């Protein structure tokens, strides 16, 4: 990975822990139904094991409405700031490629990590979402970086690893959140590196 100049991160379940958001979503989804919280959660996990978006599939399965996402319950993984700090110390340029609702920069600022990023390509502002390759192209254009000199770090095989592989970036699959239930089944779903947490990203990019 010596030729890597840019490191791009997804946000949800990569830099930001969304577990409390999902717990709230499950509770609200089954409110006033005879479906238990545990039953719904287990169904989400079952769909996640099929490499599907578990919560979306579960509400469809039970003919429920997908509740609002409570962004106020998102919080940074404790390793996020130290890892970003270390990567900057090692002279990596950092970027974001993420599917996010409007206000990504403001949220990054509220978590006190906006200062680490040189490029931000977020779906709401770019009017295009992953896995569309164009949002990756936009990020690389902003960075003036060739795909082979960039690495994408994300939790989703479909939204992060597959498109980044297609465009020619190196890939690091971080098995946080529901990613721990997923399994790459096809060659193009396989990342160059797989890690279980942000701290292990440093083993790939800095300590290799």
């Amino acid at each position: 990975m010596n030729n890597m100049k840019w490191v791009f991160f997804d946000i949800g379940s990569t830099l930001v822990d969304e577990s409390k958001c999902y717990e709230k979503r499950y509770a609200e989804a089954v409110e006033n139904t005879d479906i238990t919280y545990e039953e719904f959660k287990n169904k989400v996990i079952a769909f996640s094991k099929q490499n599907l978006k578990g919560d979306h599939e579960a509400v469809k399965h039970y003919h429920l409405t997908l509740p609002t996402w409570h962004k106020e319950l998102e919080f940074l993984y404790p390793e996020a700031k130290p890892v970003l700090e270390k990567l900057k110390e090692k002279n990596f340029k950092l970027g974001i490629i993420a599917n996010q609702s409007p206000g990504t920069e403001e949220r990054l600022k509220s978590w006190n990590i906006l200062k680490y990023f040189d490029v931000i390509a977020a779906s709401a502002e770019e009017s295009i979402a992953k896995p569309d390759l164009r949002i990756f192209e936009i990020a690389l254009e902003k960075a003036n970086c060739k795909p082979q000199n960039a690495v994408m770090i994300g939790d989703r095989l479909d939204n992060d690893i597959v498109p980044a592989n297609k465009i020619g970036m190196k890939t690091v699959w971080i098995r946080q959140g529901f990613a721990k239930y997923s399994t790459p089944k096809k060659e193009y779903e396989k990342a160059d590196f797989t890690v279980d947490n942000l701290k292990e990203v440093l083993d790939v990019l800095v300590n290799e």
Side-chain angles (χ1 to χ4, degrees), residues 17-32:
D17 191 325
E18 300 175 313
S19 56
K20 298 297 181 186
C21 306
Y22 281 109
E23 289 171 9
K24 182 76 169 176
R25 174 166 277 183
Y26 303 162
E28 290 186 350
V30 300
E31 194 173 5
N32 301 320

Side-chain angles (χ1 to χ4, degrees), residues 41-61:
K41 180 181 178 180
N42 288 337
K43 186 60 69 175
V44 171
I45 291 171
F47 281 120
S48 298
K49 287 178 178 178
Q50 299 174 47
N51 294 352
L52 298 171
K53 189 80 170 71
D55 54 335
H56 288 244
E57 295 300 325
V59 294
K60 284 194 286 186
H61 175 82

Side-chain angles (χ1 to χ4, degrees), residues 153-194:
I153 300 172
D155 65 302
R156 293 274 297 274
L157 294 175
D158 54 350
N159 277 355
D160 300 314
I161 304 307
V162 171
N165 279 341
K166 283 182 180 177
I167 207 169
M169 299 171 74
K170 289 293 184 182
T171 48
V172 178
W173 182 38
I174 188 162
R175 298 180 72 247
Q176 294 183 149
F178 289 100
K180 60 180 174 281
Y181 301 113
S182 300
T183 305
K185 293 181 170 67
K186 297 172 181 174
E187 196 62 33
Y188 60 77
E189 293 179 322
K190 295 177 181 177
D192 294 297
F193 299 90
T194 299

Side-chain angles (χ1 to χ4, degrees), residues 119-132:
V119 163
I120 295 172
S123 57
E125 284 76 18
E126 302 298 343
S127 300
I128 198 154
K130 298 184 296 186
D132 195 310

Side-chain angles (χ1 to χ4, degrees), residues 9-187:
F9 286 89
D10 176 44
I11 294 179
S13 296
T14 299
L15 293 172
V16 171
D17 191 325
E18 300 175 313
S19 56
K20 298 297 181 186
C21 306
Y22 281 109
E23 289 171 9
K24 182 76 169 176
R25 174 166 277 183
Y26 303 162
E28 290 186 350
V30 300
E31 194 173 5
N32 301 320
T33 74
D34 58 358
I35 305 161
T36 67
Y37 177 94
E38 284 302 319
E39 181 184 353
F40 186 85
K41 180 181 178 180
N42 288 337
K43 186 60 69 175
V44 171
I45 291 171
F47 281 120
S48 298
K49 287 178 178 178
Q50 299 174 47
N51 294 352
L52 298 171
K53 189 80 170 71
D55 54 335
H56 288 244
E57 295 300 325
V59 294
K60 284 194 286 186
H61 175 82
Y62 289 114
H63 305 290
L64 301 172
T65 301
L66 189 70
T68 302
W69 184 256
H70 290 272
K71 280 193 173 292
E72 71 277 6
L73 298 178
E74 296 176 342
F75 59 95
L76 276 186
Y77 285 107
E79 304 93 342
K81 284 184 186 176
V83 166
L84 296 173
E85 187 74 43
K86 189 68 174 179
L87 291 174
K88 292 301 280 186
E89 284 177 11
K90 295 297 182 178
N91 296 318
F92 284 104
K93 293 283 192 179
L94 304 184
I96 292 287
I97 304 176
N99 288 352
Q100 291 281 300
S101 58
T104 299
E105 289 196 18
E106 288 79 0
R107 286 191 292 281
L108 293 172
K109 188 174 182 180
S110 72
W111 294 316
N112 197 29
I113 60 171
L114 178 62
K115 60 187 177 183
Y116 297 113
F117 296 101
D118 305 283
V119 163
I120 295 172
S123 57
E125 284 76 18
E126 302 298 343
S127 300
I128 198 154
K130 298 184 296 186
D132 195 310
L133 296 187
R134 183 59 188 150
I135 194 168
F136 291 84
E137 292 168 351
I138 288 169
L140 292 168
E141 285 167 8
K142 286 184 175 184
N144 192 25
C145 178
K146 295 178 180 178
Q148 61 266 32
N149 298 129
V151 59
M152 179 68 197
I153 300 172
D155 65 302
R156 293 274 297 274
L157 294 175
D158 54 350
N159 277 355
D160 300 314
I161 304 307
V162 171
N165 279 341
K166 283 182 180 177
I167 207 169
M169 299 171 74
K170 289 293 184 182
T171 48
V172 178
W173 182 38
I174 188 162
R175 298 180 72 247
Q176 294 183 149
F178 289 100
K180 60 180 174 281
Y181 301 113
S182 300
T183 305
K185 293 181 170 67
K186 297 172 181 174
E187 196 62 33

